[in-house]
Amino acid sequence: MQSNPATLQKIIEERGTLVCSASYDTNVAPWYRGNATVFKYDGHFYSMDDNDLFEGPYHTLADALGEAHLCFGDVSITISVTGLTPAEYAGRMILDAPAGHIVTINGQRWVLGEDRQLSLLNPPRKVIVRRKKND
């Protein structure tokens, strides 16, 4: 008996564990917003997105990550992922955006360099101001 892909997808979304969510937004036009996800269910990984992508099963999260999760243009990007470090995820991304473009992965800000690689953007350092005592 073959299962209906829509039914299987619904079961995975309801009973599975969300292990990756990639959201993007142009901040200009509502039709350029979207989300791609990966769920873990019954020991396997399944890829989904807003454009009716439903693929799987995959044996690893890395195998399940596809274009919808990793390839972006000059858009606002927010990634939430478990099972890969932010650095591992950043190393897989392909961006068609200008140098200086910022991507957020698990709350960390990453910046696209001239070499087309993402690197962690260091948070600003705290400035300690010492006040003189009044005599």
Side-chain angles (χ1 to χ4, degrees):
M1 178 176 145
Q2 257 186 336
S3 63
N4 178 339
T7 302
L8 179 58
Q9 181 176 351
K10 185 173 174 121
I11 290 170
I12 290 168
E13 289 176 319
E14 290 174 355
R15 299 181 189 166
T17 303
L18 179 66
V19 294
C20 180
S21 174
S23 300
Y24 61 92
D25 190 340
T26 62
N27 298 314
V28 176
W31 55 87
Y32 289 121
R33 292 181 187 161
N35 192 45
T37 56
V38 176
F39 282 84
K40 186 174 184 181
Y41 176 72
D42 197 26
H44 292 92
F45 296 87
Y46 297 84
S47 295
M48 303 172 201
D49 74 9
D50 291 345
N51 297 314
D52 296 326
L53 170 77
F54 176 62
E55 296 179 337
Y58 294 98
H59 294 291
T60 68
L61 171 59
D63 291 339
L65 295 173
E67 186 175 324
H69 309 93
L70 300 172
C71 302
F72 298 95
D74 190 6
V75 296
S76 174
I77 307 162
T78 303
I79 308 294
S80 175
V81 63
T82 58
L84 291 176
T85 67
E88 290 170 324
Y89 197 96
R92 295 172 179 275
M93 293 185 77
I94 300 170
L95 299 177
D96 184 13
H101 188 79
I102 303 292
V103 175
T104 303
I105 306 173
N106 289 357
Q108 296 178 343
R109 292 169 41 102
W110 292 74
V111 62
L112 184 63
E114 294 289 341
D115 61 357
R116 312 305 305 153
Q117 300 298 310
L118 285 168
S119 57
L120 185 59
L121 185 63
N122 293 326
R125 294 182 180 191
K126 277 188 173 179
V127 176
I128 299 173
V129 177
R130 296 180 192 238
R131 300 177 191 247
K132 289 184 179 180
K133 282 187 170 181
N134 291 336
D135 293 308

